[in-house]
Amino acid sequence: MKDEKFYKPSKDIIKSANVKNYEKYRQDAIIDLEGFWEDAAKELDWYKKWNTVLDDSKAPFFKWFKGSKTNIVLNAIDRHIKTKGKKVAIIYEDEKGRSRKITYSELNDEVCKFANVLETLGIKKGDRVVTYMPNIPEQAIAMLGCAKSGVIHSVVYAGFSHEALRKRINESGAKLIVFADGSYRKGKEINLQEIAEEALKKAPSVKKAIVVNNLEKKPKLNDKRELIWDELMEKASNKAETVKMDSTDPLFILYTSGTTGEPKGVVHDHGGYQVGISRTLKWVFDIKDNDIYWCTADPGWITGHSYIIYGPLILGTTTLMYEGAPIYPTPDIWWKIIDKYKVTVFYTAPTAVRLFMGLGDKHIKKHKLTSLRLLGSVGEPINPSAWKWYYEFIGKKKCPIMDTWWQTETGMFMITPVPTMDLKPGSAGKPFAGIQAFIVDENEPHEILRPEEKGLLVIDTPWPAMLTTLYNSPKRYIEKYWKDIPGYYLTGDYAMQDLDGYFWIEGRSDDVIKIAGHRIGSAEVENALVSHKDVAEAAVIGVADELRGEVILAYVLLKKGVNGSPKLKDELKQHVRNEFGPIAVIKDIEFKDKLPKTRSGKIMRRVLRAWSKGEDPGDLSTLQD
Ligand code: WT7
């Protein structure tokens, strides 16, 4: 993985950087953590200032900016109206070439209208609203409208199927769901309404469902609870008060996969979150007033929450939302978009970079890409060869690559370069100012390891955009993140720090599989497999894949008398697509007579991993049989 050559930033990059003496900030923040984040908070608006920057009296339930009153919408929209009302906030385009530009003042109108729609429907502060939409402006409007009203949003990625959607609706007890009728993807029409309606069949908490008409035909209403977005919005007033929230009041829940079949409802607040994401975005992507910023993620993931919607809007930036796949309708569609809108900052995932790398440079040569100033990478480790290709062919050797390591739980970049830093391809750089990360031994007593030794990545001091709890499961919050390595936040990743202090992320240490940067819990896929009538038991692991980073290898024990035919394999793959969603890419299924389990019935994935590589599984003394 390692490549010791440094890539140095150009003089221009250094000269124009928002932060020039970054290393000094990093050192100072170690001594005065609260001072560092307080300075960041002072760049934002508050209805009422805080009494304390960080209250750790009930750790690990840390409270940032306690005593303050704010709302993330105050900073993302309200404060820009006077000075930036006419500036474009959101550029939208889809694979059919449909496009829209929405100014800050227009965005404010829409968000106010949606806040009023919520009020008309009786949705109040603290209620939960689930959204299920592709990357379209209505997704942003719904999220911001909820935030403005103090309503907690829970976005479900539109690549999840009805079962996953239903689970997330019921877990959050949502009163309202806002979904799109569909989306165009690679020339096909994806019917999201059908999936949402299937989920709604067993979602008793949902009182109303709003259908956003994104397809080029009128949606039919099939459930008594359904209402049409356009009709509601048309009637609503474009004036609404932004609700004054406590800093620690929840802004959203975002379900993410962990080690069990039950997704974790990660909760982020209004106050600390806005401080963490705005400071990191401003410093890492060096955001300037004239930037056109494009993050290719989807709002269904944390990347979209923090760095397509909230972060860029807080900084008053123009953020681009593209609804579509990377190489459709043409392999160069993304480069066309960059030239068309003169994108300056481009943030994507390693899997996309590898996809383009595989196509060669002929599609890129047709485009100038001269507007680009900075590049970013997120979601999984980027292999040095992909990094170098990205640097050379997209960045033309003049755009530093910000390989940002972070998580749904951290809310913001944690380990990342800044533009003035020397870079090493494949390394995520150093902990951001105010962040203290360590590598500890996997075995007790979990000592801090020396450079070049691989171990568990942990975070020492709290940070403002951190999760505040797991929804309805404060005990699980403590158990998952704070118990195993006392005194530290456990990230779930393996990592190594080199002699220069650079961090190298080496993948997950738990049962989470990262497919094309998407986070998938092995237990959730196993549940989907077991729900098939012919399957008795199932166990899955992630195996390396050149394009997607990881894909799934499934071991399946069939019910008595069922034959493991190739046809059944295909059927099971399709079954997982239906039950869980197409993002759970299964490479292969192997039928087995027995699965390796401990006496307490826990699947020994270590044995499965050895099987998949044709290696010796080692000590089997704890095996049941
Ligand atoms: C996991 C978190 C945070 C945005 C998207 C993913 C992996 C994330 C990197 C990176 C190596 C990375 C880690 C992490 N990851 N960024 N730059 N280099 N690995 O959020 O779905 O919560 O997944 O993604 O394994 O724990 P997420």
Side-chain angles (χ1 to χ4, degrees):
M1 286 280 283
K2 283 204 288 162
D3 182 326
E4 289 307 334
K5 186 177 160 239
F6 279 116
Y7 285 67
K8 296 191 180 292
S10 67
K11 284 201 186 83
D12 279 354
I13 291 280
I14 294 174
K15 214 167 71 195
S16 66
N18 286 338
V19 180
K20 298 199 172 59
N21 39 356
Y22 178 65
E23 209 36 54
K24 181 166 172 356
Y25 279 104
R26 281 187 77 233
Q27 295 312 322
D28 290 354
I30 294 175
I31 300 157
D32 184 12
L33 177 81
E34 292 185 37
F36 176 77
W37 290 115
E38 182 161 38
D39 282 346
K42 283 181 186 158
E43 291 178 6
L44 301 180
D45 281 7
W46 304 77
Y47 296 116
K48 178 176 172 274
K49 285 267 149 71
W50 46 90
N51 305 323
T52 40
V53 175
L54 171 63
D55 173 10
D56 58 4
S57 60
K58 295 206 174 70
F61 298 93
F62 296 95
K63 292 196 174 355
W64 283 90
F65 308 105
K66 206 176 138 188
S68 68
K69 289 277 180 192
T70 188
N71 187 309
I72 198 162
V73 171
L74 168 68
N75 285 299
I77 302 179
D78 301 358
R79 67 168 179 160
H80 301 315
I81 296 305
K82 274 209 191 100
T83 51
K84 292 187 173 167
K86 293 209 177 84
K87 179 171 174 174
V88 174
I90 296 174
I91 297 173
Y92 160 81
E93 181 151 333
D94 81 345
E95 64 174 40
K96 294 187 141 215
R98 299 187 294 179
S99 71
R100 280 190 264 171
K101 281 185 180 170
I102 302 171
T103 64
Y104 272 92
S105 130
E106 288 163 346
L107 182 61
N108 181 50
D109 285 350
E110 296 303 301
V111 169
C112 286
K113 284 193 221 164
F114 188 69
N116 287 323
V117 168
L118 289 174
E119 193 179 1
T120 321
L121 298 180
I123 310 291
K124 296 193 184 67
K125 179 176 169 182
D127 286 345
R128 278 80 56 213
V129 169
V130 163
T131 72
Y132 185 67
M133 284 186 261
N135 196 10
I136 54 177
E138 285 77 6
Q139 172 79 280
I141 293 163
M143 290 163 74
L144 291 156
C146 285
K148 187 176 176 85
S149 313
V151 170
I152 303 168
H153 61 70
S154 176
V155 179
V156 178
Y157 177 60
F160 278 119
S161 277
H162 60 93
E163 209 32 67
L165 172 60
R166 176 188 300 162
K167 196 173 233 166
R168 286 157 177 77
I169 294 173
N170 291 336
E171 286 277 325
S172 66
K175 278 195 186 165
L176 170 73
I177 172 169
V178 187
F179 62 82
D181 55 353
S183 173
Y184 298 106
R185 187 104 184 154
K186 297 191 202 165
K188 276 197 255 146
E189 191 182 295
I190 312 275
N191 190 333
L192 296 173
Q193 183 166 2
E194 215 170 84
I195 301 170
E197 285 171 353
E198 186 60 33
L200 278 172
K201 282 184 186 158
K202 284 190 205 143
S205 65
V206 176
K207 303 288 176 262
K208 294 284 173 212
I210 301 178
V211 190
V212 175
N213 184 194
N214 186 44
L215 298 179
E216 290 170 326
K217 60 182 183 201
K218 281 253 162 311
K220 282 200 206 82
L221 303 188
N222 307 305
D223 186 302
K224 284 202 302 292
R225 293 166 285 184
E226 286 172 342
L227 302 160
I228 300 273
W229 169 281
D230 285 341
E231 292 174 7
L232 294 167
M233 292 290 273
E234 211 178 303
K235 280 185 255 156
S237 147
N238 62 353
K239 302 239 161 6
E241 283 283 310
T242 303
V243 174
K244 297 184 173 69
M245 305 293 284
D246 284 347
S247 171
T248 51
D249 279 339
L251 166 66
F252 64 82
I253 309 169
L254 184 56
Y255 284 93
T256 188
S257 297
T259 43
T260 69
E262 299 310 311
K264 301 186 277 193
V266 169
V267 179
H268 285 284
D269 67 11
H270 276 259
Y273 178 72
Q274 62 181 358
V275 173
I277 61 172
S278 56
R279 163 126 311 180
T280 46
L281 184 62
K282 186 169 175 183
W283 285 25
V284 174
F285 283 123
D286 209 23
I287 298 296
K288 310 274 198 282
D289 209 36
N290 54 359
D291 271 323
I292 306 290
Y293 166 91
W294 184 17
C295 165
T296 69
D298 185 281
W301 309 103
I302 191 69
T303 315
H305 283 62
S306 301
Y307 299 114
I308 296 179
I309 297 173
Y310 289 118
L313 295 179
I314 293 173
L315 298 181
T317 317
T318 300
T319 182
L320 196 149
M321 298 176 88
Y322 179 73
E323 181 194 2
I327 54 171
Y328 187 89
T330 54
D332 61 343
I333 178 67
W334 281 17
W335 321 129
K336 264 192 199 150
I337 298 272
I338 289 180
D339 276 5
K340 176 174 174 185
Y341 293 108
K342 308 228 166 0
V343 171
T344 54
V345 178
F346 178 67
Y347 186 29
T348 194
T351 185
V353 175
R354 290 192 294 261
L355 177 69
F356 294 120
M357 192 164 101
L359 298 176
D361 58 353
K362 66 171 187 288
H363 305 293
I364 300 156
K365 281 192 178 139
K366 293 188 240 160
H367 304 277
K368 295 212 280 284
L369 304 183
T370 42
S371 55
L372 289 173
R373 183 165 60 79
L374 277 174
L375 300 175
S377 172
V378 64
E380 49 169 327
I382 182 162
N383 41 311
S385 59
W387 194 102
K388 285 178 202 164
W389 184 88
Y390 193 24
Y391 185 78
E392 187 175 337
F393 291 96
I394 306 304
K396 315 289 183 201
K397 298 186 185 167
K398 65 176 180 67
C399 305
I401 299 174
M402 301 296 107
D403 178 0
T404 60
W405 178 90
W406 58 295
Q407 308 177 298
T408 304
E409 292 88 342
T410 69
M412 63 179 219
F413 307 149
M414 298 292 279
I415 300 178
T416 175
V418 294
T420 53
M421 203 184 261
D422 295 348
L423 302 172
K424 294 190 189 193
S427 162
K430 298 180 181 182
F432 189 74
I435 305 300
Q436 291 200 49
F438 294 104
I439 315 289
V440 300
D441 193 344
E442 197 170 5
N443 304 308
E444 284 184 275
H446 306 299
E447 273 168 17
I448 292 181
L449 296 177
R450 280 188 298 261
E452 314 247 273
E453 289 180 336
K454 173 179 162 178
L456 299 173
L457 176 64
V458 298
I459 311 292
D460 186 358
T461 43
W463 62 99
M466 67 198 301
L467 76 166
T468 57
T469 188
L470 290 179
Y471 190 68
N472 277 343
S473 323
K475 265 207 202 114
R476 201 170 160 211
Y477 164 69
I478 297 175
E479 272 161 27
K480 289 285 161 201
Y481 303 109
W482 304 95
K483 225 181 88 200
D484 289 354
I485 318 286
Y488 295 103
Y489 165 83
L490 180 64
T491 65
D493 278 6
Y494 284 123
M496 188 273 285
Q497 194 177 9
D498 69 17
L499 290 163
D500 298 312
Y502 282 61
F503 280 71
W504 299 78
I505 310 295
E506 315 219 351
R508 298 286 307 193
S509 64
D510 54 12
D511 298 334
V512 167
I513 304 171
K514 297 253 35 190
I515 303 178
H518 296 145
R519 178 162 161 181
I520 288 161
S522 39
E524 283 175 272
V525 179
E526 287 161 3
N527 289 348
L529 280 166
V530 172
S531 73
H532 187 277
K533 64 178 190 342
D534 292 338
V535 176
E537 286 182 52
V540 308
I541 53 168
V543 290
D545 180 78
E546 229 172 79
L547 184 63
R548 294 186 173 91
E550 277 189 302
V551 287
I552 295 166
L553 181 58
Y555 293 95
V556 167
L557 191 116
L558 293 170
K559 286 192 181 147
K560 269 221 175 80
V562 181
N563 251 334
S565 62
K567 194 170 146 263
L568 183 56
K569 271 191 195 180
D570 290 341
E571 194 180 314
L572 290 178
K573 284 185 190 172
Q574 191 53 45
H575 181 72
V576 171
R577 281 180 77 88
N578 294 344
E579 289 296 303
F580 183 81
I583 51 175
V585 183
I586 299 187
K587 182 182 162 208
D588 199 10
I589 297 177
E590 279 186 33
F591 297 116
K592 292 273 173 190
D593 306 331
K594 261 179 199 155
L595 295 178
K597 285 194 195 163
T598 62
R599 284 180 195 94
S600 60
K602 203 172 160 331
I603 297 270
M604 289 178 76
R605 282 176 223 278
R606 173 172 68 78
V607 178
L608 301 179
R609 285 191 195 104
W611 279 357
S612 75
K613 292 184 198 147
E615 289 169 2
D616 174 14
D619 179 15
L620 293 179
S621 58
T622 54
L623 210 60
Q624 183 189 38
D625 188 345

